[in-house]
Amino acid sequence: MPTMSTKSKSRSDETVNDLTSQPIILAKEDIYDEGAVDPVYQAKARVLNQALQEIGMGKYQWALFVVAGFGWFSDSVWPLMTGLILSPALNEFHFNGPFLSLATNIGLLVGAITWSFGCDIWGRKWSFNLTLFVASIFGIAMGGSPTFVALASLAATSSVGVGGNMPVDSAVFLDFIPSSHQYLLTILSIWWAIGQLLGSLIAWPLISNFSCTPGQPCTRSENMGWRYLLFTLGGIMLVLAFVRLFVFRLHESPRYLVGRGRDAEAVAIVREIARYNGTETSLTVEDLEDAARGAEEKQSAHKWRVLSESSTWSGKHIRSLFATRKMAWSTSLLIAIWGIIGLASTLYNNFLPFLLASRGAKFDDATYFTTYRNQVILSVIGIPSALLAGWTIELPYVGRRGTLAASAGLTGAFLFASTTARSSPALLGWNCGYAFFSNIMYGVLYAVSPELFPAKDRGTGNGLTATATRVFGVLAPIIALYADLTTAVPVYIAGGLIIGAGGLALLLPFEPRGRASI
């Protein structure tokens, strides 16, 4: 038996040596400088990156591109619903509009904290599978709301599921793909655009044909359009949730398992993915153990004993994200950028259909048909944005930071320009420019954040940024309660904040372009 073990290990070593002599399949150099993150984890992650690069972008990863995209879809559809159903729901229940947005954003905040921090505790798999299910069930129930209180309560509960989609799904996708295809995390935002488009296309005929006339007495039977919309989209989301639960088998993240010290399980999963893809991997538990031993021999390794094998969350996950000056600067900037853009975009986007309708009233075309037709046009714009974002982030001297800064600046500029509109077509035109560049901005932002966090703390990092944007998202409707939304004031505020966030993006100390996330 000892002889067989020695031979096996020898063959494994030979394979690994052969692998390292073939640069076409080596993983890229990772993002972090030596000493920026836990050296034991970094050493193991580099071996794991090489194994994922060896497997390549196969069937499993492309299937994951689709099912992870459901999270982008959900994150787009449900917050958009707040704006799409606002006007007809107001006619029926006669409430102060921003309160519905407030309830939704409180749910998103709770979801962001629960699921994103949780996925560093109990793993990615449960969070990934349950978020869509929670969102769909309570989303369908929203359609049966008898009162505004019921509607707001169900919207908040549904949003608890929605709030975890992006932080968890981006971590899951990045954990499984080879470094050569990290740009696909940005292109995943095409699902966000598809969600907007589908939601708007369904809302257009339903709300324009099955809603009360604004300003007239309104009963439930005469105002079923927004309810039909929620039933339809909730049903679609339930189907997508079943696909995740029963059709696609998500393995636990090997990066998460390595971060927990469960090397054997991580190796078994990598081998299973290779088998599913019809390829092979030379990864062994000994490879990870050798990498760990080499890192532990370094003088500074002892201060990084942050790998945890327990299923309890502790402040170590946060401390790891602020362990060095450079890492702390990166984490702090990401939190600030997310918070600022969250405040600006929620303040503007949540009331976009209402704003288009109120401005349209001055131009004598404020009908449901025109409002939701315009929303469809704006949604179509997001599809080419996602593809362009995936291209520009890989350009030399531009990368993630340059693309994020430029798109944020242009997004703010178009918001300012929209205040000059003196006709409905002019307002729509400026908003098309805003929609185009804001979709690029969000696509890059949703990708660069998980890329800059090490996988063992990625859920916590995504949780911090998501919490920041959701906290400010809660503040936005409160501000709207005391602001005159028929003026250009919210637009000036939003535009200035987004341009400022773009400037902060240039200060990020790490550039993921051409480097591997670990």
Side-chain angles (χ1 to χ4, degrees):
M1 290 299 292
T3 304
M4 290 179 63
S5 175
T6 302
K7 288 180 179 179
S8 175
K9 188 175 190 314
S10 175
R11 285 195 298 269
S12 175
D13 291 340
E14 290 174 4
T15 304
V16 172
N17 289 335
D18 290 342
L19 192 63
T20 57
S21 67
Q22 300 176 25
I24 59 170
I25 59 174
L26 280 176
K28 300 176 183 178
E29 180 182 355
D30 63 60
I31 294 171
Y32 306 107
D33 304 327
E34 293 291 339
V37 297
D38 170 16
V40 174
Y41 172 77
Q42 188 174 32
K44 287 185 175 184
R46 286 171 174 170
V47 174
L48 197 58
N49 276 351
Q50 183 170 305
L52 291 172
Q53 191 69 30
E54 178 187 8
I55 293 172
M57 191 73 184
K59 291 186 297 181
Y60 185 85
Q61 287 84 359
W62 285 116
L64 185 60
F65 180 86
V66 175
V67 295
F70 297 166
W72 271 254
F73 181 93
S74 175
D75 190 79
S76 171
V77 163
W78 289 115
L80 179 66
M81 287 304 98
T82 304
L84 292 178
I85 71 172
L86 180 60
S87 185
L90 274 171
N91 286 338
E92 184 174 337
F93 293 136
H94 306 290
F95 59 92
N96 200 337
F99 280 114
L100 181 59
S101 175
L102 179 61
T104 300
N105 280 283
I106 289 173
L108 292 172
L109 172 60
V110 173
I113 294 172
T114 302
W115 299 110
S116 52
F117 286 98
C119 76
D120 276 344
I121 303 172
W122 53 68
R124 317 289 202 239
K125 189 173 181 178
W126 281 106
S127 297
F128 184 81
N129 285 330
L130 291 177
T131 48
L132 278 186
F133 188 74
V134 171
S136 61
I137 292 297
F138 289 99
I140 293 171
M142 283 173 64
S145 302
T147 64
F148 168 68
V149 173
L151 176 63
S153 300
L154 290 168
T157 309
S158 175
S159 296
V160 171
V162 176
N165 279 317
M166 296 299 293
V168 174
D169 296 359
S170 59
V172 167
F173 185 70
L174 194 57
D175 282 356
F176 283 98
I177 59 173
S179 58
S180 58
H181 288 72
Q182 281 180 199
Y183 68 92
L184 289 175
L185 185 59
T186 299
I187 295 180
L188 264 174
S189 63
I190 197 169
W191 286 97
W192 204 83
I194 291 171
Q196 278 196 324
L197 177 59
L198 183 61
S200 300
L201 281 172
I202 296 173
W204 184 4
L206 290 179
I207 294 182
S208 61
N209 292 314
F210 299 97
S211 297
C212 300
T213 302
Q216 299 296 319
C218 185
T219 64
R220 173 170 177 160
S221 61
E222 298 171 326
N223 199 46
M224 291 295 291
W226 66 272
R227 298 177 187 274
Y228 294 151
L229 175 62
L230 290 170
F231 292 147
T232 303
L233 289 174
I236 292 172
M237 293 304 305
L238 187 59
V239 171
L240 299 184
F242 283 150
V243 170
R244 278 192 177 183
L245 285 167
F246 303 115
V247 178
F248 177 81
R249 182 192 175 193
L250 178 72
H251 296 287
E252 187 53 82
S253 162
R255 298 180 197 268
Y256 165 80
L257 293 172
V258 165
R260 291 288 188 188
R262 294 154 61 181
D263 295 352
E265 293 176 62
V267 170
I269 286 174
V270 171
R271 289 184 174 276
E272 174 61 24
I273 293 172
R275 186 198 63 77
Y276 184 87
N277 286 352
T279 61
E280 296 182 353
T281 177
S282 58
L283 180 67
T284 65
V285 175
E286 288 79 10
D287 295 331
L288 295 175
E289 291 175 345
D290 290 345
R293 278 193 293 270
E296 286 173 343
E297 292 173 359
K298 294 185 178 180
Q299 185 176 357
S300 61
H302 69 278
K303 75 173 185 175
W304 286 99
R305 301 309 299 159
V306 297
L307 294 184
S308 172
E309 298 183 19
S310 67
S311 294
T312 58
W313 186 88
S314 71
K316 290 180 180 179
H317 287 291
I318 291 181
R319 288 197 294 272
S320 295
L321 299 175
F322 294 89
T324 66
R325 181 175 299 178
K326 198 170 183 180
M327 195 70 187
W329 179 239
S330 175
T331 302
S332 299
L333 279 177
L334 285 173
I335 292 172
I337 292 169
W338 271 99
I340 292 169
I341 291 180
L343 173 61
S345 297
T346 305
L347 182 62
Y348 187 80
N349 279 337
N350 242 17
F351 301 97
L352 182 58
F354 180 80
L355 179 62
L356 289 172
S358 63
R359 286 296 185 89
K362 291 184 178 181
F363 310 138
D364 298 323
D365 60 356
T367 64
Y368 281 135
F369 181 87
T370 302
T371 298
Y372 291 95
R373 178 208 65 189
N374 292 351
Q375 187 64 46
V376 168
I377 294 171
L378 295 175
S379 300
V380 171
I381 298 295
I383 295 177
S385 296
L387 300 176
L388 180 61
W391 176 68
T392 57
I393 61 170
E394 294 296 322
L395 291 177
Y397 309 110
V398 178
R400 274 68 161 170
R401 289 180 295 195
T403 303
L404 180 56
S407 58
L410 290 167
T411 298
F414 274 97
L415 285 186
F416 283 128
S418 68
T419 64
T420 67
R422 294 297 178 265
S423 67
S424 186
L427 180 62
L428 177 61
W430 291 124
N431 278 316
C432 284
Y434 162 78
F436 183 81
F437 290 108
S438 67
N439 275 280
I440 294 177
M441 175 184 70
Y442 269 114
V444 178
L445 189 59
Y446 276 125
V448 73
S449 299
E451 282 184 308
L452 293 183
F453 296 127
K456 69 184 180 67
D457 306 307
R458 188 166 288 147
T460 299
N462 284 351
L464 291 174
T465 56
T467 299
T469 196
R470 299 311 185 189
V471 166
F472 283 102
V474 169
L475 292 178
I478 295 175
I479 293 172
L481 286 168
Y482 300 98
D484 181 6
L485 289 179
T486 62
T487 73
V489 172
V491 180
Y492 287 126
I493 295 173
L497 288 173
I498 290 176
I499 291 173
L504 291 179
L506 294 174
L507 302 179
L508 287 168
F510 300 113
E511 170 55 62
R513 190 193 74 82
R515 294 176 178 266
S517 176
I518 63 170

